[in-house]
Amino acid sequence: MPTTNTRRLAAALAAAALGLTAACTAGGDGSDEGPKSDEKQTIEVWHGWSAAHEVKAFQDAVAGFNKAHPNITVKLVTGVTDERITNAIRGGNPPDVVSSFTTDSVGQWCKSGAWQNLKPYIDKSKVDLNQFPQAVRKYTEYQGVRCAMPLLADAYGLYYNKDLMKGEQPPKTMSQLTALAKKLTVRDPDGTIKVAGFMPSAQYYEHQVQHLAPPFGVKWLTDDGKANFSKDPAFQAYLKWNKELIDWYGYDNVKKFLRSLGQEFEAANPFQKGKVAMAIDGEWRTKFIEKEAPKLNYDTAASPVADDKVSTYGSGFIAGTVIGIPRGAKHAQASWEFVRYLTTDTAALVTLSNGLGNVPSTIPALSSTDLKLTPQFKTFLDVFKHPASTTTPPTPNGNDYIVRFQKFVQDDWETGKVKDLGPALTKLDGEVDNALKLAGG
C-alpha cells in the first residue's frame, strides 16, 4: 500500500521502543569520505515499500538515476522497517541510503546523528530548499539540523459520497460538518448506526488526533518545545466538538459501529462500501478506490475547519516519506547524488507519484503535466501547496506526545471517564514534558 499514517505510526512506535536517541551518539557528516561520486561503485538503498506496484514504481524512478550516473550501481532492498535500519546503524554496518515513512522520528535521527547532517551536501550542490513547501521543510529537520530530505508526501482532505450527499455541498466549517453528519446518518430502529454521516471518533482509521485536531488551529508545542495541550484553547475546542458528536451518536453505538468495520486497507473499507458518507483520509485513498471501488460516485474537498478559522480553509495536515544517509555509510558522496536526484528531479518524483498515488514533494513537480492521477487527486495537490497547511513538529522522542494525546482521547475522553478537561490536560502536559526531559528535550 502507499505511504500511510498507519504505517508511519507503527514505525514511530517501534523507533521509540528501541530508544534510538539514547542508543546513538552524534557523529559528523561523511560528505568527504569514501569514493568520489564519479567513481565506479555500488550503493545499497533500503526502503519500506513492498507491494508489487510500489516496488516497480521505485525501480522505474531509479532507472532515471542509472542513466544519469552509469558508474553507480544501485542495489535496492525493499520492505525495510525502521527497526532494521536502527539495528544496522547501531551495529556499524548500515546501507548507504535509508528511507522511512516515519517523519515523527526525524527529531531522534537528527539529534542523535544516526542520520547524517545533509547541510554540507546541500551547500555544495546548491540545492534550493525553497522548492519544498514550508511544512515539508519543517518535518525534515530538527533544531537547525537537516538530516533528511522529503520523498513524496501525504496530504489529508475530505472524501464524500456524492450519492449519499444527495446534492449537499461538502462542508467547509466544523459546524457545517456536524449538521451534515447528523442529516446523513441512517440508523436502525434500535439506534444502531447503519450509515454514519461522519464518524468523529479518534479510533476511526485516519480520524486520529493528528488529523482532526489541526483544523481547529492547534499548536502542538510551545515555542520552547513543551507540551501545549492545557495552554492552547484550540485543543479544548477540538475535544468538545469530538465528544458532542459522539454523544449524539451514543458511545455504545459508536463502539458497535467501529467493531463492525474491517481493516482500513481492504476492499471492504466502509467509505468504499457506502457505510460512511464523509471521511478524512489521505491522497492514497484515490488509488484504492480506483482499483477496489471503481464505480463509487465520490469527490474530495479540503478538510472542514473550525468556524473561527475560515481563513485557513483549503489547508490540511501534511506528512510524508523521508530519505537520508545513515551514519557510517561507505559511499556517502554517491549516496548524496542518489538522494538529491530522487528528491529534486521532477521526472523521478512524477514517476513515483503516478506509481504510488502520493503527492510529489516539490512545487515544480506539483504542476507537471505528466502527472496521471484521478480528478479527485487535485484536492491534495492544492492542500499540499496551501501556506496554512501544517505538520506535527519533531521532538527528541519522536511522536510520543501524539501517542499520549491519542490514548487520552480514545481511552479517557471519548469514554466519558474524564469530566473536567482543564486538570486532565494539565496532567497530560506534565507527562509529556517529563518524557521529553528524559529524552534530552
Side-chain angles (χ1 to χ4, degrees):
M1 63 186 175
T3 308
T4 68
N5 190 67
T6 304
R7 181 187 279 180
R8 191 181 309 116
L9 178 61
L13 288 171
L18 284 168
L20 182 60
T21 302
C24 300
T25 56
D29 69 87
S31 58
D32 294 321
E33 298 174 5
K36 301 297 183 183
S37 61
D38 57 358
E39 295 181 30
K40 189 174 180 61
Q41 58 197 292
T42 298
I43 62 173
E44 188 166 310
V45 177
W46 289 6
H47 67 79
W49 286 290
S50 56
H53 73 280
E54 297 176 334
V55 172
K56 183 180 185 304
F58 203 88
Q59 290 173 337
D60 289 346
V62 172
F65 175 80
N66 291 334
K67 290 181 181 178
H69 300 271
N71 62 299
I72 302 175
T73 300
V74 180
K75 178 184 177 182
L76 296 176
V77 180
T78 67
V80 177
T81 64
D82 280 11
E83 181 177 3
R84 183 176 174 185
I85 291 171
T86 299
N87 288 335
I89 297 173
R90 282 176 170 174
N93 190 33
D96 296 292
V97 177
V98 289
S99 175
S100 171
F101 305 127
T102 321
T103 55
D104 293 314
S105 291
V106 167
Q108 294 174 311
W109 295 324
C110 290
K111 184 177 178 64
S112 68
W115 286 30
Q116 293 184 25
N117 185 350
L118 299 179
K119 186 177 187 304
Y121 302 99
I122 292 169
D123 290 347
K124 187 175 181 179
S125 301
K126 294 181 172 57
V127 171
D128 181 11
L129 296 177
N130 289 320
Q131 65 187 293
F132 306 105
Q134 184 178 12
V136 177
R137 298 198 299 271
K138 285 184 178 179
Y139 69 62
T140 47
E141 67 176 359
Y142 179 67
Q143 293 184 341
V145 176
R146 174 171 300 284
C147 66
M149 292 286 281
L151 180 62
L152 299 186
D154 292 325
Y156 290 78
L158 181 76
Y159 284 73
Y160 58 96
N161 185 312
K162 295 174 73 174
D163 291 337
L164 296 178
M165 293 281 277
K166 297 178 180 178
E168 296 282 358
Q169 294 302 303
K172 293 185 177 181
T173 66
M174 285 298 175
S175 62
Q176 291 174 358
L177 174 64
T178 300
L180 195 53
K182 293 178 179 180
K183 183 176 181 179
L184 300 179
T185 293
V186 179
R187 299 176 187 258
D188 288 330
D190 64 354
T192 298
I193 304 168
K194 187 175 181 179
V195 175
F198 184 89
M199 178 47 59
S201 175
Q203 300 174 66
Y204 177 81
Y205 302 143
E206 300 297 329
H207 290 186
Q208 302 162 25
V209 297
Q210 202 168 6
H211 306 150
L212 285 188
F216 288 85
V218 299
K219 183 179 179 181
W220 293 102
L221 303 174
T222 61
D223 291 339
D224 58 351
K226 304 298 182 184
N228 203 34
F229 298 116
S230 66
K231 306 173 190 69
D232 185 353
F235 284 106
Q236 291 209 23
Y238 156 65
L239 290 168
K240 290 176 180 177
W241 167 84
N242 160 278
K243 192 69 166 67
E244 286 172 4
L245 191 49
I246 284 178
D247 288 347
W248 180 82
Y249 279 113
Y251 184 68
D252 288 342
N253 290 326
V254 168
K255 283 197 301 181
K256 187 176 180 180
F257 182 76
L258 292 174
R259 288 186 187 131
S260 73
L261 306 179
Q263 296 297 312
E264 178 180 1
F265 296 100
E266 61 180 18
N269 178 281
F271 179 77
Q272 295 175 193
K273 288 298 183 180
K275 294 181 179 179
V276 172
M278 300 177 290
I280 299 297
D281 212 334
E283 80 292 333
W284 62 80
R285 180 60 53 192
T286 61
K287 202 77 170 177
F288 278 84
I289 293 173
E290 183 181 356
K291 293 181 178 181
E292 298 172 349
K295 295 182 180 180
L296 183 67
N297 185 20
Y298 82 102
D299 210 339
T300 60
S303 300
V305 297
D307 289 50
D308 62 347
K309 302 291 182 184
V310 290
S311 64
T312 66
Y313 180 74
S315 63
F317 178 79
I318 293 175
T321 303
V322 293
I323 189 169
I325 304 171
R327 184 183 60 232
K330 298 178 178 63
H331 306 87
Q333 296 184 59
S335 297
W336 167 247
E337 291 304 319
F338 180 84
V339 169
R340 180 168 68 98
Y341 175 84
L342 217 58
T343 59
T344 63
D345 184 85
T346 295
L349 289 168
V350 168
T351 297
L352 285 170
S353 183
N354 286 338
L356 298 171
N358 295 135
V359 176
S361 38
T362 66
I363 294 171
L366 289 172
S367 57
S368 172
T369 56
D370 292 326
L371 283 174
K372 299 175 182 177
L373 300 162
T374 63
Q376 296 91 342
F377 198 89
K378 184 178 183 300
T379 290
F380 304 99
L381 299 179
D382 293 340
V383 167
F384 185 71
K385 290 184 289 186
H386 199 287
S389 289
T390 62
T391 190
T392 43
T395 71
N397 58 354
N399 69 343
D400 175 79
Y401 66 101
I402 297 292
V403 173
R404 290 177 187 270
F405 187 50
Q406 173 77 21
K407 186 176 186 301
F408 167 79
V409 173
Q410 67 182 43
D411 294 349
D412 300 328
W413 178 244
E414 293 185 356
T415 60
K417 292 178 182 178
V418 169
K419 306 297 183 184
D420 191 348
L421 263 180
L425 292 178
T426 298
K427 180 175 180 290
L428 179 63
D429 278 348
E431 293 170 353
V432 170
D433 289 343
N434 286 338
L436 281 169
K437 187 176 181 180
L438 286 173

